[in-house]
Amino acid sequence: MSGTFQVVMGERGRLVVPAELRERLHLEAGTVLILLETPQGVVLATREQIKQLVRGQLEGTNIVAELLADRRRQAAAEDAA
């Protein structure tokens, strides 16, 4: 069982997901897949996999506190002007 699959882009940019991978991941016709361009290369993932990836990247981050701090800096800059 390998995690690497070679695919060839066909006419009109179509890719075929290998049967072994489709079966392992329970991918069916109509399953939405997302191509994500990263600095390391292109990643093909399901929506759920993308959600997990983003959640992992944001873990430990307090987005609300960062947004409030940014807004306060902007307001202070406007008041100083």
Side-chain angles (χ1 to χ4, degrees), residues 9 15 34-45:
M9 186 176 301
L15 298 174
I34 298 164
L35 280 173
L36 176 65
E37 184 180 12
T38 72
Q40 294 78 29
V42 176
V43 177
L44 178 66

Side-chain angles (χ1 to χ4, degrees), residues 5-48:
F5 296 89
Q6 181 173 323
V7 297
V8 177
M9 186 176 301
E11 291 182 31
R12 300 173 60 186
R14 293 183 179 172
L15 298 174
V16 175
V17 178
E20 178 185 345
L21 185 60
R22 290 193 316 263
E23 291 170 7
R24 191 175 339 147
L25 299 178
H26 308 288
L27 302 176
E28 300 173 349
T31 299
V32 175
L33 298 173
I34 298 164
L35 280 173
L36 176 65
E37 184 180 12
T38 72
Q40 294 78 29
V42 176
V43 177
L44 178 66
T46 64
R47 285 183 175 174
E48 189 57 38

Side-chain angles (χ1 to χ4, degrees), residues 63-79:
I63 296 173
V64 173
E66 289 180 22
L67 180 61
L68 287 172
D70 187 49
R71 296 286 189 241
R72 287 183 181 123
R73 282 191 296 275
Q74 289 175 358
E78 289 174 7
D79 288 346

